[in-house]
Amino acid sequence: MSPLKFECETGNYHTFCPISCVAWLYQKISDSFFLVIGTKTCGYFLQNALGVMIFAEPRYAMAELEEGDISAQLHDFDELKRLCFQIQQDRNPSVLVWIGTCTTEIIKMDLEGMAPKIEAMIDVPIIVARANGLDYAFTQGEDTVLAAMAHRCPVVQGQKGEASLAQPERRSFARPEGRRVAEALPASQQPSLVLFGSLPSSVAQQLTRELESQGITISGWLPEARYEELPELGPGVFVCGVHPFLSRTATTLMRRRKCQLIGAPFPIGPDGTRAWIEKICQVFDISPKNLDERESQIWENLKDYLSLMKSKSVFFMGDNLLEISLARFLIRCGMIVYEIGIPYMDKRFQASELNFLEKTCNEMNVPIPRIVEKPDNWNQIQRIRALQPDLVITGLAHSNPLEARGITTKWSVEFTFAQIHGFTNARDILELVTRPLRRNNHLKDLGWSKLVTGSHGCGDLLDQKVAQ
Amino acid sequence: MKLAYWMYAGPAHIGTLRVASSFKNVHAIMHAPLGDDYFNVMRSMLERERDFTPVTASIVDRHVLARGSQEKVVENLTRKDQQEKPDLIVLTPTCTSSILQEDLQNFVERAAGTSTHSDILLADVNHYRVNEFQAADRTLEQIIAFYLGKIEKDTASTVSDRTKKTKEPSVNILGVFTLGFHHQHDCREIYRLLKDLGIQVNLILPEGCRVTDLKKIPEAWLNIVPYREMGLMAAQYLEKQYNMPYIATTPMGLVETASWIRQICDLLQSLGPLVTPLRDSAKYIDQQTRFVSQAAWFSRSIDCQNLTGKKALVFGDGTHAAAMTKILVREMGINVCCAGTYCQHDGDWFREQVQGFCDQVLITDDHTKVGNMIAQIEPAAIFGTQMERHVGKRLDIPCGVISAPIHIQNFPLSYRPFLGYEGANQIADLVYNSFTLGMEDHLLEIFGGHDVKTVITKNLSTDQGGASHLIWTSSAQTELQKIPGFVRNRIQRNTEKFARSKKIQEITVEVMYAAKEALAG
């Protein structure tokens, strides 16, 4: 019986629209082109959220729906065909990703039906991902794209020959925990391992090397830096996720591509990275080498930051699904977490991470935080006022107002864009977490930490009769 | 369908939210899917707003799609009423709700039936017909009309029968609102100008105003609309219903400011006997123009002489692009090759304004057309939005930003009005700096830069001491090349320092990572 308690609130919270995943995915998959089929609202969001990236001739665009498209006066098939031909001529991508939005859902535009026909006409693969705000939050956008992309990965070669590795219960949801696959095989005969989740190439490289140093070779990543290099999938292929928000992709890989999922904590923080490697080693029946030293060396290097964090309290408002892993890491760093807000909690995909969180709380002897799914920001702000945490990890909509009220904040989206995976980047996470604390240390004697009076704006000119 | 990735004017609901959140104690509830509340981020970040943005969403999710919003919207309305006790809640439709075609008016009536403390209003904007500016204009009119209508109903008399004008001559300023281009500064400048002339400001709308104060609107003698995009509809409504005259001139640049002052003073004098006479406007204008402001003197100075006949391109919203074109041509002798606006709905007005001031007029909301025009004309400077600034960067043409869409750097902390006499100074600086920067660049190019000698010693480089013994393997070099340019040298230095301290001769990718782990990144 797990002492973890899950609550669910109203879902009135602030997060980014999942179409924001194009921002990092178009950069990751360098031969792709993302077409977001939506309205001005979607375009406005992307334009403002992506800031300067917009000006760099990005490989994404809006197919902006106009009134004629909504009222079906225009034929959506012909319209999309026209735009896709144009993109194919101007940019010649290796893959086109259509991002379905709220509008295409509501008007029931049959994107999955149209894609294969247009694909045949322009001779460029078209992947359809429904990354809309009706169903998903922020990082889950990547999940929908990768789940769609999983269908396009080539079938594993020589599958028949490796069939001996296949085991009958493979198709079940059961994770291969504790089950030893084959006897310690030389690398060449190991079953292949594919990691899923989009990471900057240097971070992917670092994780790859961590596993290589344990004698595990990775046969590919979903996604790779180029669409044409997508890894081979099939029965007998082991898969492991690097992000906590990839539950649909995991399900697709298991159910549709018959891969075996390794359920592990996520490689965020040195504790997470170690647990992640250990789990993979365990599945491949390898006893991990040097992990103890490796981890303690990293912790040693973090000492200066840890002293700043000791016994400080944190409140996660929740908007990007990294919250459980980050909270677990921060607890291990000596912090006290009051609340973990999270948009969506897949208890099966995150099972190992949740166990790890519980274990960490027990080991650090701190109370287990409340986990709030679909939080209500208004309620959360009342709780923050009551608890007065030392740090609130939240979106930009609430950061400045909280700071003005003397509550220290860290902008949560930075955790999505910063490099936070693996041993090497543990310091980067703490760099982010401690930045507001270090700022506080610098400014602490100035006496202006609370900066709200109640009135604002130039209407005050009238109230105060400012004399010029 | 239209292929696009940049737009000048935002969607309609942004306009409604900008108006609603500018009022004090007004809350907006969007009928929208998760993630559409990006407005809050913009307001909190760009305006560096200290208060929580009074905008929440009544989330449209999969259930709403299947069964309709049912009680959800009403619940959110009554809940917000209890939580924050706003004077008014504006239910804001989005692109999503306009296709769902739910009867939002019905929700408003049902919520109002539960005896809420606040008034509740459905913003009357159609996502697919109007843009941000038109929606803002309409919402302001709607809110004003709603409150004036309410008073008339309550008192069973028309407000104009009832209302006395203020004793001293006074004006309302319509259209100052959140996320506007330098609105806060402009508002202060106008306020100061009017005060100098002995004119009271009755109300500033909507920024910082309470809806309970709207009943005071008709007490002003006249309305001023500084920006054409927002406030004009309200001014026209007030003229028609309450017989209030308005002035829609933008006091941007010396000539227009003078004409704006003259119009206001003449109109006030014609409206009735003044208790205290206004300051002699002709004398005031003359003194401000020639001696207080520096812009008139600047236009006669040698600096500005050098700008004569230089080519410029102007693009922005109607108000700023038209005013800027006139300033450049009339007050500085610059040749505006092309003036343009993205306010297509107001294209005729724009054409009429810039007629005779520029060689050609460009009315489009397609940024690639503007970019192509810039490339074709090759002006010496551009005055446009953030998009034009980036086109300028690519083509090596300096750009002064004169209009939204804008970035955080266009919300300066210091006093930077564009209107009035101080505004004229600011604009003169902006123009001059844009052109001289361009000129300097040009001269540097001709004379081959400041440093004509090749650099012989590199003091800051790492190629010193034992560093020459270090060998970078090709994979490490490839990895190094992946690091963004601006930090690459630092990473290289740190890695080599680390390697030397560990007596490592050959730098591999592993050494790079180890260095990163050991040193602080």
Side-chain angles (χ1 to χ4, degrees), chain B residues 261-303:
Chain B
I261 293 175
R262 261 181 243 119
Q263 283 178 49
I264 292 178
C265 291
D266 291 352
L267 193 50
L268 286 175
Q269 261 142 4
S270 73
L271 286 173
L274 299 170
V275 182
T276 42
L278 295 175
R279 191 154 161 196
D280 180 357
S281 60
K283 204 173 136 207
Y284 178 75
I285 294 168
D286 181 61
Q287 205 195 357
Q288 288 287 324
T289 309
R290 288 199 296 142
F291 304 110
V292 179
S293 147
Q294 298 295 315
W297 157 235
F298 169 74
S299 69
R300 303 293 304 183
S301 71
I302 299 299
D303 281 340

Side-chain angles (χ1 to χ4, degrees), chain A residues 230-241:
Chain A
L230 280 181
E232 293 173 349
L233 295 176
V237 173
F238 283 82
V239 290
C240 188

Side-chain angles (χ1 to χ4, degrees), chain A residues 41, chain B residues 11-18 30 36 39 92-95 125 127 135:
Chain A
T41 307
Chain B
H13 71 269
I14 297 287
T16 297
L17 297 180
R18 282 175 66 186
M30 303 163 68
D36 271 4
F39 174 78
T92 309
T94 59
C95 58
V125 291
H127 176 91

Side-chain angles (χ1 to χ4, degrees), chain A residues 47 62 64 67 69-70 79 82 105 135 209 294 301 376 378 396 400-401 405 424-425 451, chain B residues 1-2 4 7 37 44 50-51 57 62 79 83-84 95-96 99 129 192 387 510 513 516-517:
Chain A
Q47 166 174 334
M62 292 289 309
E64 192 184 311
E67 197 165 15
D69 299 303
I70 305 300
E79 291 292 300
R82 180 173 60 82
E105 287 296 309
D135 301 307
R209 279 168 189 272
R294 185 102 174 92
N301 289 342
D376 183 298
W378 199 85
L396 280 180
N400 273 339
R405 282 157 185 77
T424 317
N425 298 305
L451 294 149
Chain B
M1 259 179 232
K2 199 166 82 174
M7 66 186 86
D37 58 353
S44 173
R50 301 174 197 214
D51 279 314
R62 191 52 69 176
R79 197 164 156 248
Q83 282 172 349
E84 307 207 350
C95 58
T96 309
I99 8 177
R129 301 268 164 89
R192 199 176 67 171
M387 192 40 147
E510 282 80 6
Y513 296 151
K516 192 183 175 206
E517 285 159 20

Side-chain angles (χ1 to χ4, degrees), chain A residues 90 131 209 322 337 343 421 438 447 463:
Chain A
D90 295 350
R209 279 168 189 272
L322 296 171
V337 178
H421 290 74
R438 284 178 283 136
D463 306 338

